[in-house]
Structures are given as C-alpha cells and as structure tokens.
Amino acid sequence: MRDRFITTATALLDEDPRLAVVLADISAAGFEPARAAHPDRVINVGIREQLLISAAGGLALTGIRPLVHTFASFLVERPFEQVKLDLVHQDVGAVLVSALGSYDWPAGGRTHMSPGDVALLDTLPGWTVHVPGHPDEAELLLRDAAADDGLVYLRLSEHQNSEPQPVAQGRFLTLRQGSRGTVVAVGPMLDAVLAATAGLELTVLYAATVRPFDGAALRAAVAAGGGPAEVVLVEPYLAGTSVPAANAALDQLPHRVLGLGVAQEELRHYGTMAEHLAAHGLDAASLRARISSWLG
Amino acid sequence: MTPTPTPTPIAEPTPTTTTDRERLLRLMSRMTGAEKHSPAAHSTLDALWVLYDRVLRVGPGTAADQDRDRFLLSKGHGPMAYYAVLAAKGFLDPGLLPGFGSYHSPLGHHPDRLLLPGVEISSGSLGHGLPLAVGTALGLRAQGLTDPAVWVLTGDAELDEGSNHEAVEFAGAAGLNRLHTVVIDNSSATHGWRGGIASRFAAAGWSTATVDGRDHAALYAAFTAPHPDRPHAVVAVVEPKN
C-alpha cells in the first residue's frame, strides 16, 4: 500500500497544483522523481516530526493541501500536540498518510508499532479515518482525500486482503447476511473474518472507513438480521477502539458489543506479522473461537 | 461567535513618538484579568508596534489577501500588546478590549484566529508558531508568491521547546529568505543561552541582528536589514522579566 501511495501521490502532484507532499525522510527516496518535477511541492523536513505536522499546518494556512507521510508512530503519536493544535485548532485540513500499523514489522519491535493511533485521533474532532484493506482501496480513498478539504487519516498497512472491495467513502459494505449477529470487519481484517465466520449465520459488514462510523449501516444490518443486536467489531488496531461508536449507533436498542483487536499490553516479542496476529487472537481460527464463544 | 465589529478608522502611520506608546498603553489598560502575563505583554509592545506601523504590508482591508505579509504571534501569552496594536491599527474595535477573557469576547488570554480577523494563528502553547511559519513560507513559495514576508514572534524561553530547533535548522538549510523571526529576549529562559540566542540562528545559516527591544529606530533597522538567500532573526533585548 505504501508503494501505491507513492505512485498515486506522484501522479496527483502532476494533476493538482494545490497539493504538496510533506515527508520526514521516510519514503523520501520513493518520492525523488516527484521532487525533481515539483521541487517546491515535495518537501522533506528531515527527521523532524513535530515540524512535519506544524509545517503541514502552515502550508494549509496558505491554501495548500498537504499529504503528510511517515510511520504511524511518528505521524500521530510523537507529534500529537501538533496534530491537535497546528491542524485541528488552526481549523485547517490535511491528509495524514501512515505506514506500518500495529504489527506490520514485529521484528522492528514496539518502537515501530502504533496500535493506539485511531484511538488517539478519536480524542479530537473532525477526523475522517480510512483503513483500506487493499492497495486499490487505498488509491481510491487517497484520491478522494486529496480532493477534499478536511482532516483525513489514511492508515496504510502491509497487512491486506486478497481482493479489493468496491468501497464507497463513509459506507460500510454488506458482504454476508445472517440472523445470529453482525460482525464488522475493518480493513485488512476482512479475509480472516470471512474465514472465521464461514457457515455461522452471521452478517458481515466491511468498513474501509471507520470515522465517521456508519451507524446507519450497522442499525440496518441488525434490523435485517431479525435477531438480537449482537455486534462484534474486528479492528487491526487497539481492541475496542470503535466500541463507543457502535454503542452510540445502537443506543435505542438493547445490544451487546464485543470489540476485538490488538491488545493494550506489549507483547515484547519480535517475529512475523502472522505470529503477532495469532498472539492477539486475530487469526481466523482464534476469531472463530472467540466469536462463537461470545455468541454462545 | 460574537459579530465582527466594524473596524475603527485610523490615521495614516506616523513617525513613532511617545504619544504612540502612551496611546497603546492606554489601550492595554482597558484589558484586565491576566496580570500574571503582564510582563510578557509589555515585553512585546515596541517590537509589535514597529512591525505593524512601519514594516508589515497588511492592514484591516488586506487581511485576507493572498499576497499579504503574515505575522504569526507564537508567543501567545500576554497578548494585550498585540490586541492593543491591532486595535490601534483598526483590525479590531477598541470597544472590545474591556471584554478581554470573557465568554463572548473574541479576545482570549491566548488568541484564537477563528474569533479575530487579522490574527494568523491560534497560539498559546509554546513552540508552534515558528514551525507553522516555516510551513507558511513553504506554502507561499509553492504557489509562486515570493514577495510576501512571513514574520513570527517568539520569546527567549519559548525557544527552549525542541520544535523550534527543528524549524530553525530546517529554515536555514532550506534558505527560506522570506521567513523572519523576532525573539523577545527578556531573560526568562530557565537555563539561558550560552553564546547568545543569535548564535544559534547564525549557526543554522540565518542572518541575525541583536538590538535594544525598546529602541524603535534600532528595531526598524534590524527588521528591514537585507538578508538575501537566508531567513532573518532579530533578537530584541528588553528588561529582564523578573
């Protein structure tokens, strides 16, 4: 997905003079051709992540639409006050595009994992959060975000599904219908969720955009299922991040919500993405066991 | 949001006189409630006045023009001098000054750019204005606007924030020649600056000047000194805070 971001953003710079790419060394080599073509609109501030976000705020104050990119740990967590003040409080827009999510590079250890990024952005108003599950979805959502004016977080990951889905910005897709409950699969969790729920009479919704949360789709899925409002969220970041949003969507109904995702505790293991997904109970077999047990 | 007041007409800029300063102090005296920030407020008064009166190419009628000069008050603490200068220059109705800090007033103890036309950034948290100014200078350059100047005012203690050093180093390396910083040095940094503040900017490739922050002629000369190919920092030394 990171490669697709580079090729798409490079093309967008040619098409739209309002756009700039702002980097902090990460992916700078990939943007070298774009920098050569647009030296004033491909800006690498060096390893300076506070400046990365603040400079994006300053660019936006002049009418530029900045596409701001580095690893999620350094894009959201490290300069969080800059995100809060130099984008949100200044009332300017930007597109933050991360790479490496919660478990993409386990051999890199905790310093390069950011399972709390979406939860952190939930403390601020106005963010649209895209969590694509495939490079084709990432490209579409990036193009939409570049043409928009608001605050957008595009969370790119090495983890992806085998096939793209026909995503529409802000809408959950209904991939299966069943009567025993509803599972919302976010972005790259879809393949595992589809495998885990095979034959279980569950509705499966797919979310490539989680903020705003498509509460109407969730309510419709619960109503169409005809059964009790039993909802499972499967997210590739901190477990439970979207539970408040699901609760808000269902506040007029008796309901139960189970939030699955990355555990808050540090694993303190290196290894592979597959090992970390299994350790967090997010592989298909673990998900099937946890969902079946919870539904009873 | 409070309705935008009608700007008060102002006279043409006049040579700096004691009368100007007395008028500004009278305007400042109409704001009460943030006495803790009073030294911070007075420390900026002369630099702000010289900038708005003689240097910045922006006024109430051009505050939304894309080719205006930008002034970013990073040192958002104690903004009374800033509000007084904005009132004297017609950006805001002096009648709003007594409401300073009250619920419906657009004049907070830290400024909010959404509440007050002419205010370029919302500030108060230290270490944000200079990095924002770097982005502003980059944004103007990316749009081919090489004429507007970007000014940012910080304090010496504010420079302790590491975010400023990211901005200083980058601006020097990138040769952002339309970027200008005024550092109000009232000796309030806890550990001080070995070698002086200007030396840090100079080491990063900036043009620098250090002047008496109460001397309007010296401030004007420093503000308007040529600095081709590099950003410019003016350290305005005023009496110590304590």
Side-chain angles (χ1 to χ4, degrees):
Chain A
M1 286 195 227
R2 178 151 58 131
D3 291 342
R4 187 71 69 89
F5 163 61
I6 293 169
T7 56
T8 304
T10 297
L12 287 170
L13 284 167
D14 293 337
E15 299 164 16
D16 186 350
R18 188 180 69 133
L19 297 177
V21 168
V22 195
L23 305 168
D25 274 354
I26 301 300
S27 304
F31 277 105
E32 194 51 37
R35 195 195 62 78
H38 307 287
D40 289 339
R41 291 194 291 127
V42 178
I43 298 154
N44 179 8
V45 299
I47 306 171
R48 299 184 174 98
E49 288 86 8
Q50 295 183 71
L51 179 61
L52 176 77
I53 300 297
S54 301
L59 283 155
L61 283 168
T62 71
I64 294 280
R65 178 76 166 155
L67 310 177
V68 190
H69 168 69
T70 184
F71 295 149
S73 304
F74 316 133
L75 186 66
V76 176
E77 295 180 324
R78 186 184 193 116
F80 185 70
E81 195 194 57
Q82 277 73 17
V83 174
K84 172 186 146 192
L85 295 182
D86 298 342
L87 296 175
V88 182
H89 184 46
Q90 304 303 333
D91 193 32
V92 294
V95 186
L96 303 189
V97 183
S98 67
L100 298 185
S102 307
Y103 40 66
D104 285 16
W105 185 26
R110 176 72 170 178
T111 57
H112 287 62
M113 297 177 184
S114 183
D117 52 354
V118 178
L120 266 174
L121 289 178
D122 272 347
T123 66
L124 301 174
W127 284 90
T128 294
V129 178
H130 298 309
V131 188
H134 189 278
D136 291 358
E137 299 168 17
E139 176 169 346
L140 185 150
L141 294 167
L142 174 62
R143 287 180 175 277
D144 283 354
D148 189 10
D149 285 316
L151 292 159
V152 181
Y153 181 49
L154 182 61
R155 190 184 205 266
L156 305 183
S157 177
E158 300 290 315
H159 189 197
Q160 67 180 66
N161 303 312
S162 54
E163 300 292 334
Q165 297 296 325
V167 298
Q169 188 178 159
R171 303 286 299 279
F172 294 175
L173 299 175
T174 304
L175 301 189
R176 277 188 195 153
Q177 287 200 288
S179 58
R180 293 195 59 210
T182 300
V183 182
V184 180
V186 173
M189 300 314 305
L190 181 61
D191 279 0
V193 166
L194 290 173
T197 57
L200 288 185
E201 283 302 312
L202 290 165
T203 294
V204 175
L205 299 183
Y206 176 61
T209 299
V210 292
R211 299 289 180 279
F213 189 87
D214 189 358
L218 182 59
R219 284 191 295 275
V222 166
E230 310 262 42
V231 174
V232 181
L233 305 174
V234 186
E235 302 183 88
Y237 36 78
L238 205 59
T241 297
S242 294
V243 167
N247 278 329
L250 301 171
D251 69 343
Q252 299 297 313
L253 296 172
H255 63 273
R256 285 200 304 157
V257 179
L258 172 65
L260 301 178
V262 175
Q264 196 175 49
E265 291 73 26
E266 292 188 34
L267 278 178
R268 292 196 186 274
H269 285 281
Y270 297 108
T272 65
M273 181 191 296
E275 287 171 317
H276 278 246
L277 287 168
H280 288 295
L282 296 175
D283 61 307
S286 301
L287 286 172
R288 188 176 183 91
R290 294 168 83 188
I291 293 169
S292 297
S293 167
W294 185 76
L295 288 170
Chain B
M1 185 177 151
T2 306
T4 306
T6 307
T8 305
I10 53 161
E12 286 296 305
T14 53
T16 304
T17 63
T18 309
T19 311
D20 287 332
R21 201 164 203 283
E22 287 170 353
R23 184 159 61 104
L24 292 167
L25 291 172
R26 274 200 304 278
L27 288 166
M28 288 179 69
S29 73
R30 300 177 69 176
M31 291 170 270
T32 57
E35 282 75 9
K36 139 178 128 58
H37 282 328
S38 189
H42 284 276
S43 69
T44 61
L45 182 62
D46 298 278
L48 283 168
W49 179 248
V50 173
L51 278 171
Y52 271 92
D53 194 46
R54 301 170 67 184
V55 178
L56 294 172
R57 291 166 301 176
V58 63
T62 57
D65 288 2
Q66 183 68 323
D67 64 351
R68 71 187 183 278
D69 285 352
R70 269 79 166 170
F71 174 78
L72 282 59
L73 182 74
S74 184
K75 185 175 152 74
H77 301 61
M80 289 95 90
Y82 184 48
Y83 294 150
V85 169
L86 291 177
K89 286 295 176 188
F91 288 88
L92 71 92
D93 178 358
L96 288 166
L97 298 175
F100 182 53
S102 63
Y103 187 77
H104 287 292
S105 172
L107 308 181
H109 293 189
H110 302 124
D112 186 330
R113 78 176 199 95
L114 266 59
L115 299 181
L116 200 54
V119 168
E120 298 284 359
I121 60 166
S122 304
S123 58
S125 182
L126 301 178
H128 291 267
L130 184 50
L132 277 166
V134 165
T136 302
L138 289 168
L140 293 170
R141 188 168 80 176
Q143 295 169 77
L145 295 164
T146 54
D147 198 36
V150 180
W151 286 84
V152 59
L153 186 146
T154 73
D156 67 307
E158 178 177 8
L159 284 182
D160 287 356
E161 295 284 2
S163 52
N164 284 318
H165 296 267
E166 295 186 359
V168 168
E169 292 289 343
F170 174 81
L176 296 181
N177 65 318
R178 301 308 293 149
L179 179 66
H180 308 73
T181 299
V182 186
V183 182
I184 303 296
D185 182 3
N186 62 352
S187 304
S188 58
T190 297
H191 297 290
W193 290 85
R194 291 190 184 196
I197 292 169
S199 71
R200 305 302 177 91
F201 284 89
W206 290 54
S207 158
T208 68
T210 300
V211 296
D212 178 347
R214 298 304 186 192
D215 182 334
H216 290 197
L219 285 167
Y220 179 77
F223 289 159
T224 53
H227 52 93
D229 306 324
R230 54 185 56 200
H232 184 51
V234 176
V235 180
V237 181
V238 298
E239 59 280 12
K241 181 179 174 185
N242 297 311

